[in-house]
Amino acid sequence: MSIKRSDRFPVVCIVGARPNYMKMAPIIRAFKAHEPPLPCLLVHTGQHYDAAMNDRLFADLDLPQPDVNLEVGSASHAVQTAEIMKRFEPVIDEHGARAVLVVGDVNSTIACALVAAKRNIPVVHVEAGLRSYDRNMPEEINRVLTDQISDVLYTTERSAADNLGREGIAAERVAFVGNVMIDSLLANLPKAVPSAELLERAGLDAAAIADGYGVVTLHRPSNVDAPENLERIFQALAHVAKRLPLVFALHPRTRHNLERFGLLDMLNMPGFLVLPPQGYLEMLGLMSKAVMVLTDSGGMQEETTALGVPCITIRHNTERPITVEQGTNMLVGTDPQAIIRAAEDVLATGGKRGRTPELWDGKAAERIAAHLSAWLGR
């Protein structure tokens, strides 16, 4: 069954996991500021849900509280995707939709896009066309499938359109608008929490980072779910920490696995300053003044490029090649010696500085609002 759409129906905007919030906040603001405003309904699937962290992130980003929370919670990929679809369809029945707008590549993205497509409701995908070409990553499956059923595809870099073209997606469905993650970064950088203040709050010695520090985040299953991989990466980081203090924002999955594998003592190695998961403004403060960032996060590859901070990505591939080609990102894989060599190069030379990619100017959401309003009007 399809739903009859009218101008009074909202654009239904989906968030499900932490990276989605940073992408959606500027879009919601741009929809409200557009003339005429674009009515929207914000739906949180609850795919990742920590009440305290969610409230903090929404406040930090000036993102309104969700109109609907599906409260799905954690589960296997199949169960979670199915549960989101089951709970999202009644929201469409109740509120209607001019379009369903999804961001990124999480399970909420593909689940809500599938519901909309099967109801003949236009699907709008923000951050379309990114490819790692690694089908072992669940996110890659979500990206490819969402793009195939989307009616409007907004891209962050020009190479994304080439990827979509190779997959048979018509060019008229694609619009290059820039990167909404950078909209959030530029808007919030003046509010970023200083790193020394952050350490003091955590009861750590802020003097330890007075002469510089690195930032570490790790959470990808390929890095943290196998004990041999996790131990090898930590040994490389311990070597780097002998020369540069490393501030860990420790992901719950990583902490859990360190404990499960009997490796928790590795957190006590010299040079490690361990923090619990941090809010957006706190991470922004840490990254902006870091000597380097060591991570397996996709979003942080983009953020460090915008900040001009060298990024050592502990992965064998990236869906954000522009951060390597034009930005500050170095893709080093998981070999300990490669990680160490990259870190030593940054310490010796200052590392890559790169340049800011095209249209990463803080106005991507405005371009989305203008384009989508005109598209819906047609």
Side-chain angles (χ1 to χ4, degrees), residues 217-235:
T217 73
L218 290 170
H219 73 282
R220 292 205 175 267
S222 58
N223 282 339
V224 305
D225 284 3
E228 60 277 9
N229 292 348
L230 188 57
E231 186 171 13
R232 289 169 74 236
I233 291 170
F234 262 79
Q235 286 171 347

Side-chain angles (χ1 to χ4, degrees), residues 166-181:
R166 283 192 292 271
E167 294 168 12
I169 293 170
E172 57 265 25
R173 290 161 57 191
V174 181
F176 173 45
V177 294
N179 194 333
V180 291
M181 281 278 282

Side-chain angles (χ1 to χ4, degrees), residues 19-322:
N20 298 164
Y21 309 159
M22 284 77 96
K23 295 164 191 170
M24 195 62 74
I27 294 171
I28 298 286
R29 286 196 297 273
F31 282 3
K32 290 180 177 178
H34 189 264
E35 189 55 50
L38 276 167
C40 58
L41 183 85
L42 183 59
V43 175
H44 192 326
T45 67
Q47 176 181 331
H48 292 171
Y49 195 76
D50 176 301
M53 185 61 77
N54 270 23
D55 289 347
R56 187 161 149 200
L57 278 167
F58 274 76
D60 286 350
L61 292 163
D62 195 24
L63 184 63
Q65 288 297 311
D67 299 293
V68 177
N69 194 319
L70 304 182
E71 300 182 345
V72 168
S74 298
S76 71
H77 287 285
V79 170
Q80 189 176 69
T81 303
E83 196 61 37
I84 292 168
M85 293 178 72
K86 284 168 57 181
R87 298 189 190 194
F88 179 55
E89 188 165 38
V91 175
I92 296 293
D93 292 335
E94 180 179 354
H95 297 278
R98 294 182 75 189
V100 171
L101 185 148
V102 294
V103 297
D105 52 24
V106 298
N107 288 341
S108 299
T109 300
I110 182 59
C112 294
L114 278 168
V115 170
K118 290 183 180 236
R119 299 289 294 270
N120 292 323
I121 297 167
V123 176
V124 179
H125 188 200
V126 175
E127 202 181 73
L130 298 181
R131 297 289 181 269
S132 67
Y133 293 100
D134 180 0
R135 293 293 179 93
N136 291 315
M137 294 175 66
E139 297 92 341
E140 183 77 354
I141 305 298
N142 293 342
R143 283 189 285 265
V144 171
L145 296 180
T146 301
D147 285 342
Q148 284 295 325
I149 58 175
S150 292
D151 299 90
V152 183
L153 299 97
Y154 292 124
T155 60
T156 61
E157 55 183 84
R158 290 195 181 275
S159 67
D162 298 331
N163 296 336
L164 296 170
R166 283 192 292 271
E167 294 168 12
I169 293 170
E172 57 265 25
R173 290 161 57 191
V174 181
F176 173 45
V177 294
N179 194 333
V180 291
M181 281 278 282
I182 308 308
D183 291 15
S184 276
L185 183 148
L186 295 176
N188 288 286
L189 195 54
K191 299 187 290 181
V193 178
S195 48
E197 179 183 327
L198 185 56
L199 262 62
E200 287 170 358
R201 284 186 199 170
L204 298 172
D205 182 12
I209 63 169
D211 295 326
Y213 63 92
V215 174
V216 179
T217 73
L218 290 170
H219 73 282
R220 292 205 175 267
S222 58
N223 282 339
V224 305
D225 284 3
E228 60 277 9
N229 292 348
L230 188 57
E231 186 171 13
R232 289 169 74 236
I233 291 170
F234 262 79
Q235 286 171 347
L237 295 173
H239 186 95
V240 176
K242 292 175 183 176
R243 295 191 56 193
L244 181 74
L246 296 180
V247 180
F248 278 77
L250 194 62
H251 193 279
R253 183 187 195 114
T254 308
R255 176 176 280 279
H256 171 75
N257 283 338
L258 286 167
E259 188 169 6
R260 182 162 67 103
F261 302 145
L263 299 173
L264 204 55
D265 284 348
M266 297 191 80
L267 293 176
N268 299 322
M269 287 191 284
F272 287 179
L273 299 160
V274 182
L275 297 172
Q278 296 298 304
Y280 180 65
L281 297 181
E282 287 79 6
M283 284 305 301
L284 203 50
L286 282 172
M287 284 190 294
S288 65
K289 301 300 182 184
V291 172
M292 70 181 80
V293 170
L294 301 102
T295 187
D296 56 13
S297 160
M300 288 176 75
Q301 295 173 51
E302 295 178 330
E303 290 164 331
T304 49
T305 279
L307 292 166
V309 173
C311 181
I312 297 170
T313 297
I314 304 173
R315 286 170 51 183
H316 294 285
N317 52 55
T318 179
E319 64 282 0
R320 294 162 167 86
I322 200 168

Side-chain angles (χ1 to χ4, degrees), residues 358-377:
E358 183 183 6
L359 297 189
W360 289 26
D361 58 1
K363 298 178 181 178
E366 295 173 26
R367 287 187 281 268
I368 289 171
H371 181 277
L372 186 58
S373 179
W375 188 87
L376 291 170

